Amino acid sequence: MSRIFDELFIRYPVLDVCKNDIKNAYNAMVECYDNGGKLLCCGIGGSAADCDHLVGELMKGFLKKRPLSDNEKQSFENPFIADSLQKGLPAISLCAHSALMTAFSNDEIPSLVFAQQVYAYAKKHDVFVAFSISGNSENVVYAAEAAKAAGIKSIAVTGKNESRLSNICDVCIRLPETETYKIQELTLPVYHCLAAMIEEKYFEI
């Protein structure tokens, strides 16, 4: 693995127990992007913010600049746009669709809102990413079940305890804490590491 991966465990040695799961999550994301897929991310509360944050790191430059190639720039009539846009890795935060979420919650069963989005969006080679402190958040669990029904892989980031998500998802990064804020404090360096490694693979400095 990369220097970024190694540095994560130097800075956060408590995460050493998650090393294989983080590696497996990275491999699933690489397989997704190698085959033209996208990430579908969801969570509630602080975990929803983590979804938005991860998507932001993937959809634009994170540690590197991602300029368009000369060939790509030729598609634009306006050089200002061509010189300003960056290459992105497709990722969607399902938590950010307020109109859809409120409409669905009003008209249908609210706890199925993420499942509805996952099942509608999911295509071959996509990956579902779930953030859940407990690993048992009902609407996130339903979304994981929808991902499984749609035939796409799933990654969960949860606290230490076994959970419904750890039983459903293909990969579950069980962070070695049980208190909410301590789990949240470890969540960020994990997805920053994943985003940085993915960026390193697909974009030159």
Side-chain angles (χ1 to χ4, degrees):
M1 300 296 284
S2 75
R3 170 188 56 81
I4 296 167
F5 184 77
D6 293 336
E7 285 181 354
L8 175 67
F9 305 102
I10 294 172
R11 295 174 61 212
Y12 300 92
V14 69
L15 289 173
D16 194 67
V17 295
C18 302
K19 186 174 287 187
N20 286 336
D21 291 322
I22 295 171
K23 187 184 299 184
N24 290 337
Y26 168 77
N27 289 335
M29 293 169 71
V30 167
E31 182 180 358
C32 166
Y33 286 130
D34 278 351
N35 289 285
K38 60 185 178 293
L39 301 188
L40 302 172
C41 309
C42 79
I44 61 171
S47 296
D50 288 323
C51 291
D52 291 349
H53 192 158
L54 173 60
V55 168
E57 310 298 21
L58 294 171
M59 287 286 287
K60 59 172 287 299
F62 176 28
L63 301 180
K64 297 183 177 183
K65 296 185 181 297
R66 306 180 190 175
L68 304 187
S69 68
D70 290 339
N71 285 339
E72 289 168 326
K73 290 180 179 180
Q74 290 176 4
S75 301
F76 292 85
E77 294 183 3
N78 188 333
F80 166 74
I81 299 175
D83 289 337
S84 301
L85 290 183
Q86 304 175 30
K87 294 180 181 179
L89 293 160
I92 299 172
S93 173
L94 305 179
C95 313
H97 301 171
S98 57
L100 170 60
M101 293 175 71
T102 52
F104 189 88
S105 296
N106 183 68
D107 299 339
E108 307 296 340
I109 300 171
S111 59
L112 292 175
V113 62
F114 292 141
Q116 173 65 34
Q117 291 171 280
V118 168
Y119 202 74
Y121 274 126
K123 303 295 181 189
K124 188 177 181 180
H125 303 305
D126 289 350
V127 169
F128 170 67
V129 181
F131 290 95
S132 173
I133 298 299
S134 68
N136 294 312
S137 302
E138 188 173 62
N139 47 8
V140 180
V141 170
Y142 288 154
E145 292 179 350
K148 187 172 184 178
I152 66 172
K153 287 187 176 179
S154 56
I155 299 167
V157 182
T158 72
K160 179 180 180 179
N161 296 329
E162 288 191 19
S163 64
R164 293 169 71 186
L165 285 179
S166 69
N167 290 325
I168 294 170
C169 293
D170 298 288
V171 179
C172 186
I173 302 170
R174 292 166 53 192
L175 303 172
E177 291 289 354
T178 56
E179 290 186 78
T180 296
Y181 80 95
K182 292 181 180 179
I183 297 168
Q184 291 172 328
E185 288 174 349
L186 292 178
T187 298
L188 186 144
V190 167
Y191 66 72
H192 267 173
C193 176
L194 289 169
M197 288 195 297
I198 289 291
E199 184 179 61
E200 182 179 56
K201 177 174 175 60
Y202 292 104
F203 302 104
E204 297 180 359
I205 297 175

